[in-house]
Amino acid sequence: MAIKKDELTSHYACIPNATLQDPRLTPEALGVLVFLLSLPENWIIRAAQIRRKFNIGKFVQQRIFRELERAGYLVKEKEKDKARTKDGRWTCRITIFQTSLKPLTDEDGQSWNSK
């Protein structure tokens, strides 16, 4: 088997191999992570958008987000959303990272996600 790679000059995402090969991620979570990393940095992530894009239900989307959070690729921060609601309801701001904030280490203690 051969792997053919084109030289890309625009419209591509740069994702570290350690992220793509992280054994903590299921194929579903990796697919969602890769999709999110392909979006512009200022993109506002909405759970409903992910559910529509991947044709999944709320339970599956929440499981994937929890998996990404446990592996260190997703961080949720609660904040008051004064702009969208008059009563200032709490919302979650989601931030996605290219590399895990919780690096996976092997039995020798060497980091997989070294930069």
Side-chain angles (χ1 to χ4, degrees), residues 72-94:
Y73 295 99
L74 181 148
V75 172
K76 287 191 287 187
E77 299 171 275
K78 286 189 176 185
E79 62 182 17
K80 283 232 180 192
D81 191 353
K82 295 177 183 173
R84 293 185 60 206
T85 61
K86 292 180 182 179
D87 59 359
R89 294 182 194 172
W90 288 92
T91 60
C92 281
R93 176 184 298 266
I94 297 171

Side-chain angles (χ1 to χ4, degrees), residues 25-93:
L25 300 178
T26 61
E28 287 175 316
L30 182 59
V32 170
L33 178 61
V34 168
F35 169 72
L36 292 171
L37 290 173
S38 75
L39 299 172
E41 284 188 39
N42 61 347
W43 193 270
I44 297 172
I45 300 165
R46 303 210 189 283
Q49 174 192 28
I50 299 302
R51 291 194 295 270
R52 283 192 304 275
K53 169 72 178 166
F54 289 93
N55 194 28
I56 57 177
K58 187 174 184 176
F59 177 77
V60 173
Q61 171 263 307
Q62 289 173 336
R63 179 178 49 79
I64 290 169
F65 278 22
R66 279 192 309 271
E67 184 178 332
L68 292 172
E69 189 173 18
R70 278 193 306 269
Y73 295 99
L74 181 148
V75 172
K76 287 191 287 187
E77 299 171 275
K78 286 189 176 185
E79 62 182 17
K80 283 232 180 192
D81 191 353
K82 295 177 183 173
R84 293 185 60 206
T85 61
K86 292 180 182 179
D87 59 359
R89 294 182 194 172
W90 288 92
T91 60
C92 281
R93 176 184 298 266

Side-chain angles (χ1 to χ4, degrees), residues 22-24 102-114:
D22 192 329
R24 297 173 293 185
K102 301 174 184 175
L104 183 65
T105 58
D106 61 17
E107 54 275 357
D108 297 328
Q110 304 242 339
S111 176
W112 281 48
N113 293 7
S114 57

